[in-house]
């Protein structure tokens, strides 16, 4: 049948610690779709130690997905089991029994992806103000039914997002996980504006010498990739730091697309020649300096996520 690939191979036994009975899950709506994946909103009964119904997100595959996408989803499942940090999306369970699609049940982030949140905030009257305050920052603006709520984004929010993402990434680096696809689209925003690093589909455990040699496959997030990843498929926590620099640029521009007008095929040569994105209009020199330090040609010269956490903490203290 068309979706036979979505079924789990019979050789993969369910993990009793995480297996969740399908009959306690009610799918409510589609939150979003990628090329091969789909994210659903659902209600789960008695999940993660919470009695009664909890709103959750369910990751699954589309009918056109094949074995390698299933492998990515299952690898994400394995990695999420290990990751426990307030700024990393939490796994709540999984449905992997044969004969039906694989579901990963993850915590629901009410504001959706950080990229979309930033872009929605642009349409609000009081966007970023130079004084850092926003009189409307506590006003919730609901768009049409079914869409997500929007708040304004203040300069302090930008610092807080950068700080939270750095903390989550420092944790992942600590447990030797390289994300490989860090971007604003892969960070979710939960209640209280808490950032959650998500989309571990491309993530790999680091083994042996720090670097992971990527198998040749699939679509690559070229504009977020470090030169050494583009040239040699080398991925380390330092290449994640490069991607974080691009994410910072996305934060400051409220979700703009990086390297506007640059053809991805020319990017590597431009970067090698020393070209970097210029300082966005509303970006402080201090922030731009941090951003460009993440884009050091030499991976070893880029800051670590731990160092970045310290920088954000200083800047947050100075901004009160
Ligand atoms: O910005 P969005 O509405 O939020 O569009 C994307 C879409 O699914 C495709 O990824 C949303 N999404 C993904 N994971 C979650 C989650 N855990 N909680 C809430 N929304 C999610 C995301």
């Amino acid at each position: 049948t068309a979706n036979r690939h979505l079924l789990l191979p019979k050789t993969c036994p369910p993990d009793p610690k995480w297996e969740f009975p399908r009959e306690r899950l009610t799918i409510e709506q589609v939150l979003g779709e990628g090329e091969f994946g789909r994210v659903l909103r659902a209600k789960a009964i008695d999940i993660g130690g919470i009695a009664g119904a909890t709103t959750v997100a369910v990751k699954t595959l589309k009918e056109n997905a094949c074995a390698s996408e299933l492998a990515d989803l299952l690898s994400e499942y394995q990695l999420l089991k290990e990751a426990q940090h307030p700024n990393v999306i939490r796994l709540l369970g999984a449905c992997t029994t044969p004969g039906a699609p694989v579901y990963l049940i993850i915590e629901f982030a009410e504001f959706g992806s950080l990229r979309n949140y930033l872009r929605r905030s642009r349409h609000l009257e009081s966007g970023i103000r130079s004084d850092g305050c926003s009189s409307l920052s506590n006003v919730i603006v609901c768009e049409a039914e079914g869409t997500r709520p929007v708040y304004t984004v203040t300069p302090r929010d930008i610092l807080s997002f950068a700080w939270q993402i750095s903390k989550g990434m420092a944790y992942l680096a600590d447990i030797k996980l390289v994300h490989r696809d860090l971007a604003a689209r892969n960070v979710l925003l939960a209640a209280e504006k808490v950032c959650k690093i998500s989309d571990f589909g491309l993530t790999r455990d680091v083994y042996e010498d720090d670097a992971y040699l990527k198998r040749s496959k699939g679509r690559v997030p070229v504009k977020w990739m470090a030169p050494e990843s583009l040239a040699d498929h080398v991925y380390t926590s330092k290449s994640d730091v490069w991607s974080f620099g691009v994410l910072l640029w996305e934060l400051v521009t409220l979700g703009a697309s990086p390297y506007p007008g640059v053809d991805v095929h020319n990017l590597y040569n431009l970067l090698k020649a020393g070209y970097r994105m210029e300082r966005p209009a509303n970006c402080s020199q201090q922030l731009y300096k941090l951003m460009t330090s993440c884009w050091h040609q030499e991976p070893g010269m880029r800051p670590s996520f731990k160092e970045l956490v310290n920088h954000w903490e200083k800047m947050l203290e100075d901004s009160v």
Side-chain angles (χ1 to χ4, degrees):
T1 64
N3 56 359
R4 89 195 119 90
H5 294 307
L6 305 185
L7 309 182
L8 202 65
K10 287 194 173 60
T11 49
C12 185
D15 181 339
K17 191 170 167 239
W18 292 98
E19 195 65 27
F20 188 75
R22 290 178 193 271
E23 58 277 12
R24 287 192 351 230
L25 201 61
T26 311
I27 306 296
E28 292 177 333
Q29 70 166 83
V30 176
L31 288 168
E33 281 192 348
E35 199 179 350
F36 302 110
R38 186 177 280 144
V39 182
L40 309 162
R41 194 188 68 195
K43 283 257 163 29
I45 306 295
D46 301 340
I47 197 165
I50 300 163
T54 302
T55 300
V56 295
V58 171
K59 265 190 105 158
T60 186
L61 295 173
K62 285 176 29 179
E63 292 69 19
N64 60 339
C66 61
S68 73
E69 282 87 40
L70 176 60
D72 286 347
L73 189 69
L74 292 175
S75 123
E76 181 166 18
Y77 177 35
Q78 298 308 323
L79 294 167
L80 280 173
K81 286 180 189 175
E82 294 169 35
Q84 280 188 40
H85 188 275
N87 299 114
V88 174
I89 201 79
R90 192 159 80 96
L91 180 75
L92 297 172
C95 305
T96 68
T97 48
V102 173
Y103 286 159
L104 292 196
I105 309 168
I106 57 176
E107 65 181 313
F108 179 73
E110 63 178 80
F111 296 114
S113 81
L114 188 54
R115 180 175 189 267
N116 288 339
Y117 181 86
L118 293 168
R119 293 177 82 98
R120 283 197 307 270
S121 79
R122 292 176 178 190
H123 305 303
L124 300 180
E125 233 180 291
S126 76
I128 289 183
R129 280 170 37 167
S130 52
D131 60 2
C133 324
S134 170
S135 53
L136 282 178
S137 62
N138 290 318
V139 177
I140 191 161
V141 179
C142 283
E143 293 181 334
E145 180 116 23
T147 61
R148 297 185 184 283
V150 201
Y151 291 92
T152 54
V153 173
T154 66
R156 200 179 163 78
D157 286 331
I158 303 279
L159 285 183
S160 168
F161 294 163
W163 174 54
Q164 296 182 54
I165 297 163
S166 300
K167 283 192 290 179
M169 289 306 298
Y171 166 78
L172 291 182
D174 234 30
I175 62 166
K176 305 246 174 292
L177 288 188
V178 176
H179 190 288
R180 309 203 317 170
D181 198 7
L182 182 61
R185 65 180 171 277
N186 291 334
V187 176
L188 293 165
L189 202 58
E192 315 291 336
K193 292 188 184 175
V194 176
C195 292
K196 309 264 179 183
I197 296 158
S198 150
D199 283 84
F200 284 62
L202 296 179
T203 306
R204 296 289 180 272
D205 259 304
V206 199
Y207 49 89
E208 278 159 28
D209 61 355
D210 244 22
Y212 179 80
L213 220 57
K214 184 183 157 281
R215 57 190 168 155
S216 56
K217 160 198 175 252
R219 289 147 39 98
V220 278
V222 173
K223 288 187 170 178
W224 282 260
M225 283 164 68
E228 69 275 13
S229 313
L230 287 167
D232 307 316
H233 307 298
V234 169
Y235 293 87
T236 64
S237 292
K238 294 290 189 179
S239 57
D240 278 347
V241 169
W242 177 290
S243 308
F244 178 74
V246 181
L247 201 168
L248 276 181
W249 187 92
E250 295 183 276
L251 286 175
V252 175
T253 59
L254 296 179
S257 300
Y259 305 96
V262 174
D263 184 324
V264 290
H265 298 101
N266 300 334
L267 190 61
Y268 176 71
N269 285 326
L270 283 170
L271 294 174
K272 214 172 67 174
Y275 170 84
R276 298 293 183 268
M277 280 192 282
E278 57 186 52
R279 183 171 64 89
N282 56 333
C283 175
S284 69
Q285 295 286 358
Q286 193 185 15
L287 192 57
Y288 187 60
K289 210 175 143 204
L290 272 182
M291 193 184 288
T292 49
S293 74
C294 297
W295 298 333
H296 206 290
Q297 192 74 28
E298 182 57 49
M301 298 295 286
R302 298 171 201 153
S304 66
F305 282 111
K306 273 216 181 80
E307 286 165 340
L308 286 164
V309 169
N310 294 333
H311 281 294
W312 304 127
E313 289 180 354
K314 264 205 216 84
M315 287 169 78
L316 279 163
E317 270 171 35
D318 293 346
S319 79
V320 284

